[in-house]
Amino acid sequence: MNDPRICDRPEVYLLLAAFVFAAGLYGLLRRRTLIGMLIAGELIFSAAALNVMTFNRFYAPKPAEGQVFVLFLMGLAAAEVCIALSIVIAVYRNYRSIQPQDIDELKG
Amino acid sequence: MKPFPYAHVLVPAVFCAFAAATVAGAVIAAGSRRVIRGVCGLAMCCVGLAGLFYFLQSPFLALMEILIYVGAICVTIIFVVMLAEPEEAASSRARSRAWTGAALAVSVAAFAGLSWLGTSLPAPRSLAAGGDGSVKAIGVSLLTTYSMAFELISVLLLVAIIGALVLTRSGRDRP
């Protein structure tokens, strides 16, 4: 069982990715500010990237494909953060607050 | 070729340091009360993830992780924190405690399920399969197999830039 080193076993990476995902989920549910929720979303993105790289390294035959996939994932995350932060700034300008419970004008 | 002295101790130690940075950064990012500490936790988590990517034999991704996440995303979030002063409201303590318990239960359940899935996998067949994950291979596959996705993501980034400009421009002349 202990034959391969700790950095050559896929379970370690998968457990780390699961932990980062769970932390992101907890932060997304618990945080009360829009920026905190955005940070938690970034954690979930990172967990997905680590998962993709783990499966690509240990279970897929081609090493370059997973790296390309994770690069696209990072580009998507950057675009998402850019748009979300500009929405946060626009909301702050209109409401003078970025608490999600203050932004309730569309509530029925 | 002689191996590096104490490599059989140093390599797992460095790996454990990066894994600990990832875990601690994720905990700080999710659990801290102030947003700026959360951003610092996210940066720490991304440094640890970059080390893990290095151990997964993709040093280019490790560099990109530091460059994009720590260098661009965290700095941008810090700018917005300075602009918008997001303080957590200290209201509704009782409901907040129940909500925190529910969030903790959901995330623990997700972690348990995912780790059960991850540890019940079959062992990997062969580590050193064909092809190399070098920067040259990445560049070739970006410009041949995935050229369409490459162009699409550049268009997406352009749309994101224009969208951010439009969103933050409206309402600027208001006091």
Side-chain angles (χ1 to χ4, degrees):
Chain A
M1 187 63 197
N2 239 346
D3 193 19
R5 286 186 306 187
I6 189 174
C7 46
D8 281 337
R9 293 167 59 183
E11 301 96 354
V12 181
Y13 296 98
L14 291 177
L15 281 182
L16 281 172
F19 183 82
V20 175
F21 173 76
L25 199 60
Y26 173 73
L28 198 61
L29 289 174
R30 196 200 66 104
R31 285 293 189 138
R32 292 301 175 78
T33 63
L34 289 180
I35 296 181
M37 292 160 79
L38 183 68
I39 292 171
E42 285 311 302
L43 280 184
I44 295 180
F45 256 110
S46 307
L50 182 60
N51 230 340
V52 167
M53 269 318 291
T54 307
F55 279 110
N56 177 60
R57 162 92 170 84
F58 291 104
Y59 291 98
K62 291 184 177 175
E65 320 284 302
Q67 300 190 35
V68 170
F69 201 93
V70 174
L71 276 181
F72 286 149
L73 205 59
M74 284 179 188
L76 280 178
E80 177 240 348
V81 164
C82 164
I83 291 297
L85 286 180
S86 52
I87 288 176
V88 166
I89 292 215
V91 163
Y92 181 73
R93 246 189 220 136
N94 285 326
Y95 290 88
R96 289 289 146 200
S97 151
I98 54 172
Q99 311 283 328
Q101 65 256 32
D102 291 341
I103 311 160
D104 53 0
E105 259 179 32
L106 275 184
K107 207 190 262 180
Chain B
M1 198 173 83
K2 240 174 75 172
F4 193 75
Y6 303 110
H8 61 288
V9 180
L10 279 181
V11 173
V14 172
F15 177 79
C16 289
F18 279 127
T22 306
V23 169
V27 168
I28 294 173
S32 68
R33 193 160 289 279
R34 313 189 60 154
V35 175
I36 190 73
R37 290 183 194 157
V39 181
C40 294
L42 180 66
M44 192 172 154
C45 181
C46 290
V47 170
L49 277 175
L52 292 184
F53 281 148
Y54 192 84
F55 273 97
L56 285 170
Q57 296 193 342
S58 43
F60 181 63
L61 271 191
L63 275 179
M64 282 298 124
E65 176 90 15
I66 294 213
L67 201 67
I68 295 178
Y69 272 94
V70 184
I73 290 182
C74 288
V75 171
T76 318
I77 294 178
I78 286 175
F79 267 109
V80 174
V81 167
M82 288 193 284
L83 277 176
E85 43 187 299
E87 74 283 359
E88 292 237 355
S91 62
S92 64
R93 273 285 156 235
R95 185 186 162 274
S96 163
R97 190 165 300 150
W99 186 249
T100 300
L104 202 60
V106 167
S107 55
V108 163
F111 175 65
L114 281 177
S115 50
W116 177 74
L117 270 182
T119 48
S120 61
L121 277 173
R125 284 184 304 259
S126 64
L127 278 186
D132 58 340
S134 63
V135 181
K136 186 184 173 193
I138 298 173
V140 166
S141 65
L142 266 183
L143 289 183
T144 54
T145 316
Y146 299 105
S147 55
M148 184 68 191
F150 188 68
E151 297 299 327
L152 278 182
I153 206 156
S154 55
V155 172
L156 176 85
L157 283 174
L158 178 68
V159 169
I161 293 170
I162 297 174
L165 285 176
V166 169
L167 274 174
T168 49
R169 176 162 175 75
S170 65
R172 180 179 268 181
D173 42 355
R174 211 186 298 176

